[in-house]
Amino acid sequence: MRLFNLLFDNIRRRYGYFIFLSIITIAIIVLAVFSAINFDGGVLPIDLSNVPYIRYLKDDCSFFFLIFGNLLTLTIFIGFIIFFSWKKYLLPLSLILYLYFVYSQIVIYVSLILIYGFFNTIILIILLTIFLLIEFLLLLLILISLIDCCGANNFFSLCFNRLHSPISLLLLCLLITTLLFSIILALLRSFVILLVY
């Protein structure tokens, strides 16, 4: 309960920053949708063949790789986001990484619809929509929570101190969300008409 109180306290104290991040996130989502539609896969090139769940649906990898690939991608991004939040002058890089992550996921999302058609991907799109919304929200909350630790000499120990920061809880929620997405996708695989042409 204390961890949830820490989380809500962070949001209350950083309410302006929370609103700012939310607005920028929505703007990046709109930009990514526009980019994917008008620039054939986005302004920044993103290789769909390297996306773990697409490879899994194509039967190019195992269920283990689906989980490992999703977790590896998240770990790399979150690792750099936390590292770049170590000092205040590095915070813009942390924000840029978060926004690029949002951009790339939305470009992949829209590209799937454009390539395979909405009705062919409707089950996957519903699942992805729920997963991405939860993922973006958790990452946004992690960014807000990192502000309190930024610049401290014991930055890393503060980040993962459950009495001081909710980051550990948020990372656990991200892990559970990713695992649930992978398991549900595996269960629904036989019903998803996608990547079979």
Side-chain angles (χ1 to χ4, degrees):
M1 185 57 102
R2 179 177 172 79
L3 287 172
F4 285 104
N5 289 336
L6 272 173
L7 179 59
F8 291 122
D9 185 52
N10 279 348
I11 294 173
R12 187 171 58 254
R13 286 187 295 105
R14 305 285 180 180
Y15 186 71
Y17 191 53
F18 178 77
I19 295 299
F20 170 72
L21 284 178
S22 299
I23 292 170
I24 288 186
T25 301
I26 292 168
I28 286 295
I29 289 172
V30 172
L31 175 65
V33 170
F34 178 82
S35 175
I37 293 172
N38 291 284
F39 297 102
D40 191 26
V43 175
L44 302 174
I46 295 170
D47 187 2
L48 296 181
S49 65
N50 289 328
V51 180
Y53 61 83
I54 294 179
R55 290 192 62 187
Y56 177 72
L57 290 171
K58 278 182 160 184
D59 207 19
D60 287 344
C61 70
S62 65
F63 176 68
F64 172 78
F65 182 84
L66 169 67
I67 295 176
F68 177 76
N70 283 332
L71 290 178
L72 179 64
T73 302
L74 261 181
T75 302
I76 291 171
F77 272 98
I78 291 172
F80 278 111
I81 285 171
I82 291 175
F83 177 78
F84 287 134
S85 300
W86 179 28
K87 297 293 183 183
K88 289 184 179 178
Y89 62 85
L90 291 174
L91 272 176
L93 291 176
S94 184
L95 180 58
I96 288 169
L97 270 174
Y98 162 74
L99 294 176
Y100 176 74
F101 181 80
V102 172
Y103 173 86
S104 63
Q105 296 304 306
I106 296 299
V107 167
I108 292 167
Y109 177 90
V110 175
S111 297
L112 281 173
I113 297 173
L114 293 176
I115 294 169
Y116 299 103
F118 177 77
F119 291 106
N120 284 342
T121 59
I122 190 165
I123 298 174
L124 178 62
I125 291 305
I126 292 170
L127 181 61
L128 268 177
T129 301
I130 296 168
F131 173 62
L132 291 178
L133 287 175
I134 295 172
E135 191 176 46
F136 295 162
L137 176 62
L138 290 172
L139 284 172
L140 191 148
L141 293 174
I142 287 172
L143 277 175
I144 291 170
S145 300
L146 284 168
I147 295 295
D148 287 337
C149 306
C150 184
N153 291 329
N154 54 343
F155 170 79
F156 292 103
S157 61
L158 282 178
C159 279
F160 300 105
N161 184 338
R162 291 183 298 174
L163 298 177
H164 177 80
S165 171
I167 291 175
S168 297
L169 172 67
L170 294 169
L171 290 175
L172 179 62
C173 290
L174 261 178
L175 171 65
I176 292 170
T177 301
T178 304
L179 289 175
L180 281 175
F181 168 74
S182 301
I183 292 168
I184 293 170
L185 184 64
L187 292 173
L188 293 176
R189 181 178 177 181
S190 57
F191 302 103
V192 177
I193 307 170
L194 178 64
L195 309 180
V196 294
Y197 305 108

